[in-house]
Amino acid sequence: MTAILTDRIGLHDFVRRAHDAGELVVQPRMGFGLPERMRAGLVATKTAPATTVGTLTLDSYTRIGDLAAVERALAAGSDLNGYPIASHPLGTTRAMLAGVRDAGFPVQVRHGSATPSHIFAALVAAGLDATEGGPVSYCLPYGRVPLEESVREWSRCCELFAHLREHLPVEPNLETFGGCMMGQLCPPGLLVALSVLEALFFRSRGVRGIAVSYAQQANPVQDQEAVFALRRLCAELLPDTDWHVVVYAYMGLYPVTPRGARRLLTAAAELARATGAERLIVKTVAESERIPTIAENVDALTHAATRQIRPAEPLADPGADSETYQQARAIVDAVRDVDQDLGRALLHSVKRGYLDVPYCRHPDNLGRTRSYLDRDGTLRWADPGLMPIGHLVPRRRSRQVTSAGLMDALGYVRRKFDSFEESAPEPILELR
Amino acid sequence: MSELARLNPAPVPSSRRPTAIVSGLSSDAHTWNLVFLELLLDELGFLVTNLGPCVPDDLLVAECLDHVPDVLVLSSVNGHGYADGARVVRRLREHTPLAALPVAIGGKLGVAGGLTAGQRDELVAAGCDAVFEEHADAVASFRGFLRALPVRAAR
Ligand code: B12
């Protein structure tokens, strides 16, 4: 690991320094119920041969605030799907982090909660200063909490979190999850818009250290266009803010073969490098099946950090002309016009269908939009519903989706990477 | 009428279509699995109510008592399905009108890949009639389970 040593460093500064030194920062999605295992996972991440950031991914009970279910699981000795930060005693979490998290190794908390007050309280108490989420992206895909409640809670949490800077030598950092939403089948124009809007929301609540996310989709050229659009919008709309871009390795149905999974991760690293993204969150060979082991995570980090990985079809920044930029810009502008307050603007934009996520079953999501995958994996709108991009999208007759048609679209990336033709030798096999 | 014909949506008037509730479990936000099952059951002739993800136990019990469907299909993939499923099905079975409700559960039910035989048995003991863990022919055996369902008077 390339140690960057100062007294203490915030996530953004760490990432920025690595980027200036030509390193892509890589990070796992790792979370275990037991503190010993969690600590072992962080230590392994820290000592992996890569420039890494550590992760505490929280379990699903903590996400929905069902702390009684955490107690029952811990008492029964059953495994949780993440680290229950609000249930382990504070001393336990501090001890778990002691000597691991330091100036050369920031640790971020990842959760997925629409009502995260208890999570923010616990992470701040544990001395952590980097986390993730957003009032829309941690609400619509994560269950049924009313959006209004999520916006209220996220406002309060952001304000509290921003005040941390008065007590810390570093700038607290918050990452948008808007670039992912349901993980798959959402055209990038909306993902980019949501990521930017959540960044603007964080900024309006006082947060100045921000990461903006984008999740790899099904076509490499469209993905590059999307990350360039995201960068351009942030440059235009986020003055006096420290921001960087984080790419998520594919968040949909993952390849089942180890080789297919590695190739998809390679493509994610190529996307990050081609677009100057500063950080990449990896997926492992176990993704399609179960929660990965520590060793599988270290493998993925090592592979993604391979310096030889270079973009296969690099795209020059298409500027403001790209389809993704234009859709995202139109959505962002329309939402900002709804209300001066960004929280209310987001709430009413969802209710009136300016923001409408395909296939999302949340009661507040209008559900008028339809998307489809073109033959080359490009995501397009079959019907943009009431989103303010009707003038940018050609009308199409949308067909009734069948269960087989849905699985076919969801499985596109899995099939493509599992059946990848043998062409160039896989770099990882040579390097290890 | 053959069973297949009975499950074919076309000739059956909607009032006589068998009914299904599809539901996620309390802690699970995954939705694509639920969308898939809703479409599949609809294609097999069921009138489907999809309760969506993160359904609290109380809501699931209340919806089942309200509708008493021909089948309840539970799906979870976040690794907590084993615990959440056993808990809520035990609660459902405490209600007399739901004592004989056919209940299927499936997905990725534990955090370690497959369940142990003991865990499967526990789901059955809690009142699940069939457990479909992720497997190449899980959906085919699920269709078999649906075909063998006892048919309510209306059908
Ligand atoms: C997309 C996705 C997400 C999205 C979900 C968006 C949404 N709202 O739907 C987001 C990013 C939000 C997400 C979040 C999380 N996820 Co997730 N996710 C996935 C992913 C990549 C794809 C799932 C998917 O869309 N499948 C498409 C559907 C159609 O397929 P399916 O779910 O596999 O269902 C099939 C079968 O299982 C079967 N089936 C399912 N149910 C039933 C029921 C019956 C009766 C029958 C017959 C069949 C059946 O039929 C389907 C078709 O074949 C999977 C990994 C993968 N599979 O590649 C991880 C995965 C399911 N997630 C996982 C986890 C742990 C989480 C988190 C807890 C975060 C974390 N710790 O990593 C949170 C959960 C939050 C919560 N409260 O639950 C784990 C679960 C591990 C386990 N079970 O041991 C997986 C496997 C990833 C991993 N390897 O760690 N996730």
Side-chain angles (χ1 to χ4, degrees):
Chain A
M1 123 117 229
T2 336
I4 302 170
L5 291 165
T6 52
D7 289 317
R8 177 166 170 170
I9 194 168
L11 176 69
H12 178 80
D13 286 335
F14 177 85
V15 168
R16 173 93 1 252
R17 281 183 206 182
H19 189 73
D20 291 346
E23 299 287 345
L24 174 64
V25 173
V26 292
Q27 182 182 348
R29 291 186 178 277
M30 189 194 277
F32 301 112
L34 297 177
E36 307 77 55
R37 184 129 189 255
M38 194 67 250
R39 182 177 171 91
L42 288 174
V43 169
T45 303
K46 186 178 182 177
T47 53
T51 306
T52 54
V53 163
T55 304
L56 296 181
T57 294
L58 307 190
D59 70 285
S60 300
Y61 294 133
T62 301
R63 292 162 183 243
I64 60 165
D66 188 356
L67 301 183
V70 177
E71 292 309 322
R72 281 197 302 271
L74 291 177
S78 356
D79 263 347
L80 290 167
N81 60 11
Y83 184 77
I85 197 170
S87 300
H88 285 315
L90 183 56
T92 303
T93 298
R94 287 213 179 120
M96 188 268 295
L97 292 167
V100 184
R101 170 177 169 274
D102 61 24
F105 190 62
V107 172
Q108 188 199 39
V109 173
R110 307 187 67 87
H111 52 106
S113 177
T115 52
S117 296
H118 60 301
I119 293 172
F120 273 87
L123 73 91
V124 166
L128 293 161
D129 51 49
T131 185
E132 183 221 20
V136 179
S137 64
Y138 264 15
C139 180
L140 296 189
Y142 281 103
R144 54 211 316 133
V145 173
L147 183 61
E148 190 169 5
E149 192 179 337
S150 178
V151 169
R152 205 182 322 121
E153 283 249 351
W154 271 93
S155 276
R156 219 190 21 226
C157 289
C158 286
E159 280 157 13
L160 277 171
F161 192 60
H163 277 303
L164 262 186
R165 81 167 64 84
E166 288 153 24
H167 312 280
L168 290 180
V170 303
E171 188 65 38
N173 192 276
L174 200 48
E175 170 183 324
T176 65
F177 188 69
C180 180
M181 299 307 288
M182 306 282 291
Q184 43 204 336
L185 299 189
C186 181
L190 179 55
L191 295 176
V192 169
L194 280 164
S195 209
V196 171
L197 286 164
E198 291 196 320
L200 290 168
F201 174 88
F202 295 164
R203 188 66 194 82
S204 74
R205 267 59 181 170
V207 178
R208 288 191 224 132
I210 296 175
V212 285
S213 64
Y214 178 74
Q216 176 188 23
Q217 302 294 321
N219 178 285
V221 175
Q222 186 179 41
D223 281 342
Q224 291 180 56
E225 185 183 299
V227 179
F228 284 130
L230 179 61
R231 298 202 83 94
R232 177 166 295 267
L233 281 163
C234 289
E236 290 165 355
L237 301 173
L238 284 172
D240 68 30
T241 306
D242 290 334
W243 59 269
H244 69 266
V245 172
V246 53
V247 166
Y248 301 164
Y250 192 59
M251 293 292 281
L253 267 189
Y254 222 71
V256 294
T257 64
R259 167 164 284 244
R262 283 214 186 82
R263 289 197 201 268
L264 185 50
L265 179 58
T266 304
E270 287 173 357
L271 170 63
R273 291 187 192 271
T275 54
E278 290 88 346
R279 182 156 56 97
L280 171 68
I281 303 199
V282 304
K283 286 271 176 105
T284 73
V285 293
E287 175 63 17
S288 68
E289 198 189 334
R290 53 166 170 76
I291 292 185
T293 61
I294 293 173
E296 285 161 341
N297 272 296
V298 170
D299 261 14
L301 293 166
T302 309
H303 177 62
T306 310
R307 271 167 166 264
Q308 284 83 343
I309 292 181
R310 281 290 161 234
E313 314 167 66
L315 184 78
D317 182 350
D321 289 334
S322 80
E323 186 180 308
T324 308
Y325 177 87
Q326 295 200 343
Q327 289 185 16
R329 178 89 215 195
I331 296 169
V332 169
D333 287 347
V335 171
R336 294 177 90 198
D337 281 345
V338 168
D339 197 300
Q340 273 197 323
D341 173 73
L342 214 56
R344 281 198 301 269
L346 287 170
L347 177 63
H348 296 301
S349 295
V350 170
K351 299 227 169 185
R352 60 168 83 162
Y354 282 10
L355 298 168
D356 189 348
V357 182
Y359 292 101
C360 172
R361 289 307 172 103
H362 190 283
D364 288 326
N365 190 61
L366 217 55
R368 296 254 195 114
T369 55
R370 296 283 173 274
S371 61
Y372 70 99
L373 264 186
D374 237 347
R375 217 162 289 155
D376 66 352
T378 307
L379 276 162
R380 299 194 193 285
W381 296 104
D383 183 348
L386 301 181
M387 293 206 307
I389 52 172
H391 60 296
L392 298 170
V393 177
R395 286 272 152 188
R396 228 181 150 266
R397 222 161 15 105
S398 68
R399 278 176 298 136
Q400 191 61 40
V401 188
T402 62
S403 60
L406 177 74
M407 287 314 292
D408 198 55
L410 291 174
Y412 174 90
V413 168
R414 169 179 285 183
R415 282 194 308 278
K416 175 174 165 188
F417 284 85
D418 275 340
S419 65
F420 212 108
E421 284 304 317
E422 196 60 48
S423 51
E426 211 184 358
I428 189 69
L429 298 178
E430 294 174 348
L431 289 171
R432 263 204 265 115
Chain B
M1 218 191 325
S2 82
E3 297 212 309
L4 258 181
R6 250 192 350 238
L7 290 173
N8 183 340
V12 187
S14 70
S15 60
R16 293 183 50 219
R17 285 172 73 180
T19 55
I21 289 183
V22 170
S23 180
L25 297 174
S26 65
S27 79
D28 195 345
H30 291 92
T31 304
W32 296 103
N33 44 324
L34 306 173
V35 175
F36 165 74
L37 289 166
E38 176 184 344
L39 292 170
L40 180 75
L41 284 156
D42 176 74
E43 289 156 18
L44 293 174
F46 286 83
L47 198 60
V48 188
T49 306
N50 186 348
L51 300 182
C54 286
V55 179
D57 291 4
D58 288 345
L59 179 63
L60 182 61
V61 172
E63 290 286 332
C64 288
L65 285 171
D66 268 8
H67 298 281
V68 194
D70 290 300
V71 62
L72 170 64
V73 180
L74 300 173
S75 168
S76 176
V77 297
N78 75 352
H80 290 176
Y82 153 71
D84 291 349
R87 188 189 65 236
V88 73
V89 173
R90 224 173 262 125
R91 281 202 41 198
L92 282 174
R93 295 301 189 204
E94 288 166 6
H95 297 267
T96 317
L98 305 179
L101 169 68
V103 177
I105 186 168
K108 296 179 198 293
L109 298 169
V111 290
L115 295 179
T116 63
Q119 288 174 318
R120 282 180 74 98
D121 291 348
E122 216 176 302
L123 277 172
V124 173
C128 296
D129 298 296
V131 182
F132 300 93
E133 282 196 83
E134 194 163 85
H135 187 272
D137 43 44
V139 172
S141 30
F142 179 55
R143 285 169 189 257
F145 165 82
L146 293 174
R147 276 196 297 272
L149 283 180
V151 183
R152 263 206 326 207
R155 278 169 62 196

